[in-house]
Amino acid sequence: MARRMMPKRRLEKVGLGITGACVCVVALVVAALIVMVAQQGLTTFTSDGVDPVSFLTGQNWIPSEGRFGAAPLIVGSFSVTLLSTLIALPIALGSAIFVVEVRPAFGRKVFQPLVELLVGIPSVVYGLIGLTVVNAAMRAIFGDAAGTGAGILSGAIVLAVMILPTVTTLVIDALAAVPDSYRDGSYALGCTRWQTIWHVVLRSAAPSIMTAVILGMTRAFGETLAVQMVIGGVERSMPNGLLDPAATLTTALTSGLSNATTGSVEYHALWSLGLLLMGMSLLFILIIHLIGRRGTKSHG
């Protein structure tokens, strides 16, 4: 009996060693990425003499003239991200309520698979649709005020469609995770279906819904190709409205790195944009963890 137990213990030790090694590899890769981006990005301020405050608050991004004000890019990124989330969230929430509470059989078998198919569509396809359909619609609706149709609003609409499957799927899972006993108790007190959904189901799933929103914002914040095709790519100055062409941190990175000389001030400034982008992504992840802990405590 003891001889049979020995191989099992060895296998357990081998398994623990392999999983531990995988965790160490992932941790090293993440740490190496953070160190590399931070080293290159901070060179802009430590060696190239760019003032961090003017970098974050400057309103002109013109590398050819030595002007590295990232404020227009930051404003463009947050404008597109927040606006796309505001457009996608009501649609995702209504779709999730339909799937879980109204028509669960049809929703699970037909509607949800159709929504999940949108995830597999390449970004360039969304960009092409936005370039030909959304921009044309902006010109038709707003006329000369929309110019070519490219702008923050066009980018937000395209991004809203892109993040809609992710947010919808996560909200569906959040509503489905609410115990049926909560619904039964609400019905027993005489509440209607919509009262139960609004006051019981949505409130119970609120932390998970917030996590879905933050994850959708994280994807929108880092999206590049589709946004670059429809937003206009104007990096030089601060946008004045939703119809104005603009640029985001990601679009400036993709368009600038191909022309920047390695080791130049512009090259390091672009790495600084990458560092800023990574910092915002880490902040979103931290917010997700804080919401998750708060939700766990409230349910506990």
Side-chain angles (χ1 to χ4, degrees), residues 184-198:
D184 295 337
S186 178
Y187 292 142
L189 292 173
C191 296
T192 64
R193 173 192 287 181
W194 297 109
Q195 288 174 332
T196 300
I197 292 172
W198 181 256

Side-chain angles (χ1 to χ4, degrees), residues 10-24:
R10 289 177 182 176
L11 287 174
E12 288 180 359
K13 291 181 178 180
V14 171
L16 289 174
I18 293 173
T19 53
C22 293
V23 171
C24 291

Side-chain angles (χ1 to χ4, degrees), residues 134-233:
V134 178
N135 286 2
M138 292 297 105
R139 293 194 301 269
I141 295 172
F142 298 102
D144 294 337
T148 61
I152 293 176
L153 183 58
S154 299
I157 292 173
V158 172
L159 264 187
V161 177
M162 294 183 68
I163 67 174
L164 184 62
T166 301
V167 179
T168 301
T169 302
L170 292 173
V171 175
I172 288 174
D173 294 338
L175 298 184
V178 176
D180 290 335
S181 58
Y182 290 12
R183 300 176 177 85
D184 295 337
S186 178
Y187 292 142
L189 292 173
C191 296
T192 64
R193 173 192 287 181
W194 297 109
Q195 288 174 332
T196 300
I197 292 172
W198 181 256
H199 294 289
V200 178
V201 177
L202 290 180
R203 288 194 177 184
S204 299
S208 299
I209 293 173
M210 288 300 300
T211 300
V213 171
I214 299 297
L215 284 173
M217 290 177 64
T218 304
R219 184 186 175 187
F221 200 78
E223 184 57 45
T224 305
L225 183 58
V227 176
Q228 189 172 12
M229 296 175 69
V230 297
I231 199 172

Side-chain angles (χ1 to χ4, degrees), residues 67 91 110 233 249:
R67 305 171 73 178
I91 301 173
V110 180
L249 294 169

